[in-house]
Amino acid sequence: MKHYLSIKDIDSLPEWVDEAISLKKNPYQFQDLGKQKTICLLFFNNSLRTRLSTQKAAMQLGMEVMVMNFGSEGWTLEYGNGTVMDQGTSEHIKEAAQVVSQYCDIVAIRAFAKLQDRAKDEAEEVLNGFSQHASIPVVNMESSTAHPLQALADAITIKEFGKTKKPKVVLSWAPHPKALPHAVANSFVEMMRLQDAEFVITHPKGYELNSDITQGCTIEYDQDKALENADFVYVKNWSSYSEYGKILHQDCNWMLTKAKLGYAKFMHCLPVRRNVIVEDAVLDSDQSLVVEQANNRTYAAQVVLKKILEAH
């Protein structure tokens, strides 16, 4: 495996999940694999779980870790070909990616969607720029359209807490005061399409995700109907895709409550806005898996880094 840019880079999701669970039981069993290897984490956006879990994963494999908050510490990058750089950008991605490649063995990148220009976001300028011009493997720590480390952690969590061979898993939209990107939802959908599960997406009309990603999935506009007999309920906000980046409405009735959850397990990628996305009674109950999901971020990252190190 050269890069880990999306869920599509996983050749066998069940095998990766089992391997991650094995790593969780003995995190240091491959600590010599990354000896005298360095990973550089480049953050164009804020992070808590992604930064700490990826650092921990690398350290458990014996790697050295460098971290740079590129948005505030690095030069403003240019991505276009043939651009006359007489405006605000100071360095081209071509040089930056090659230079970073000299300093480390793997580079991991976090760069969110700006939600202003759909075509530009879907072009994944930062992630694809590095994967094109770097000479080392690139790992996606959340890009404009995907968050494959989170989705892999979610798959691990579902495997650990699932009680049936074919669970019912519901991805439910919820209100949020800010316009949020589609990355987490996109990768969760892609991951669920690889699972043997009854999978339902529920959201108000107008909040349909990219149809190329949800093709073949069951979409239910009645949240109560979608939640019936669910085993896992994954709640996440996203802005409109058709009216790109817009908040069409704020319907507080879509907030997940204890009554709606029933006997299902609750999942969310965090951070989560209490009593907006989900009520306290859910988050503070033993049905909430959000802390376990966050813990599994380490082992999702660790299995990805292990695969890359083994291939190089």
Side-chain angles (χ1 to χ4, degrees):
M1 183 175 70
K2 172 64 175 175
H3 303 299
Y4 185 68
L5 305 180
S6 78
I7 286 294
K8 295 174 183 177
D9 291 317
I10 297 176
D11 55 9
S12 173
L13 182 61
E15 289 181 9
W16 283 42
V17 167
D18 288 343
E19 190 168 348
I21 292 172
S22 176
L23 286 169
K24 190 175 183 178
K25 294 174 182 176
N26 186 4
Y28 293 97
Q29 59 184 301
F30 297 100
Q31 60 182 330
D32 290 335
L33 189 60
K35 189 175 182 181
Q36 297 183 349
K37 300 282 188 179
T38 301
I39 185 171
C40 179
L41 311 183
L42 297 182
F43 289 91
F44 290 78
N45 296 96
N46 295 340
S47 177
L48 190 158
R49 280 149 294 277
T50 299
R51 175 171 174 169
L52 298 181
S53 62
T54 307
Q55 282 188 261
K56 184 177 180 182
M59 291 163 63
Q60 288 174 173
L61 289 169
M63 301 188 76
E64 298 291 333
V65 182
M66 299 189 295
V67 180
M68 184 174 184
N69 294 309
F70 210 98
S72 58
E73 298 172 350
W75 300 110
T76 305
L77 294 182
E78 175 62 50
Y79 301 96
N81 290 323
T83 304
V84 178
M85 292 172 57
D86 60 353
Q87 297 298 317
T89 55
S90 305
E91 183 164 12
H92 202 282
I93 184 67
K94 290 182 179 181
E95 287 77 50
Q98 292 178 74
V99 168
V100 169
S101 299
Q102 296 177 316
Y103 300 151
C104 54
D105 301 281
I106 300 173
V107 61
I109 297 166
R110 184 175 179 89
F112 293 172
K114 294 182 179 178
L115 294 178
Q116 296 169 357
D117 184 327
R118 186 167 76 184
K120 198 168 184 178
D121 283 344
E122 290 184 339
E124 295 280 15
E125 285 185 331
V126 181
L127 189 70
N128 288 338
F130 272 93
S131 62
Q132 179 182 354
H133 299 293
S135 58
I136 57 175
V138 176
V139 174
N140 183 351
M141 295 193 298
E142 188 174 356
S143 65
S144 296
T145 65
H147 198 349
L149 286 178
Q150 179 65 56
L152 181 53
D154 298 335
I156 297 166
T157 307
I158 290 171
K159 174 67 181 289
E160 288 182 320
F161 289 91
K163 295 181 179 179
T164 62
K165 286 187 177 181
K166 190 173 182 177
K168 180 177 180 181
V169 181
V170 179
L171 172 63
S172 177
W173 179 92
H176 195 284
K178 294 172 60 180
L180 297 186
H182 309 92
V184 171
N186 286 344
S187 289
F188 187 77
V189 172
E190 290 181 329
M191 180 274 292
M192 285 306 306
R193 293 181 68 173
L194 301 176
Q195 299 273 26
D196 183 18
E198 180 185 352
F199 179 53
V200 180
I201 305 169
T202 185
H203 54 73
K205 290 185 177 181
Y207 281 103
E208 292 78 8
L209 294 163
N210 184 345
S211 59
D212 291 339
I213 294 173
T214 61
Q215 184 177 12
C217 295
T218 300
I219 298 174
E220 174 56 63
Y221 297 111
D222 184 330
Q223 187 188 37
D224 291 333
K225 184 178 179 181
L227 295 175
E228 289 176 0
N229 302 314
D231 296 294
F232 296 92
V233 178
Y234 197 111
V235 175
K236 184 71 181 78
N237 173 267
W238 58 86
S239 55
S240 175
Y241 181 77
S242 58
E243 297 185 50
Y244 193 67
K246 292 184 178 180
I247 298 175
L248 303 182
H249 57 76
Q250 291 282 13
D251 188 346
C252 62
N253 292 320
W254 278 77
M255 180 182 75
L256 191 71
T257 64
K258 196 75 157 52
K260 289 181 181 180
L261 182 64
Y263 296 102
K265 295 292 187 181
F266 171 75
M267 300 178 70
H268 190 281
C269 60
L270 298 182
V272 65
R273 297 204 179 210
R274 284 175 173 257
N275 303 307
V276 176
I277 294 280
V278 56
E279 68 177 2
D280 286 339
V282 172
L283 279 169
D284 296 331
S285 75
D286 58 7
Q287 291 170 256
S288 175
L289 301 180
V290 296
V291 175
E292 286 81 357
Q293 279 177 269
N295 187 37
N296 282 334
R297 289 296 308 277
T298 296
Y299 307 102
Q302 192 166 343
V303 74
V304 168
L305 297 180
K306 178 176 176 289
K307 297 282 188 185
I308 291 173
L309 288 169
E310 288 173 338
H312 294 80

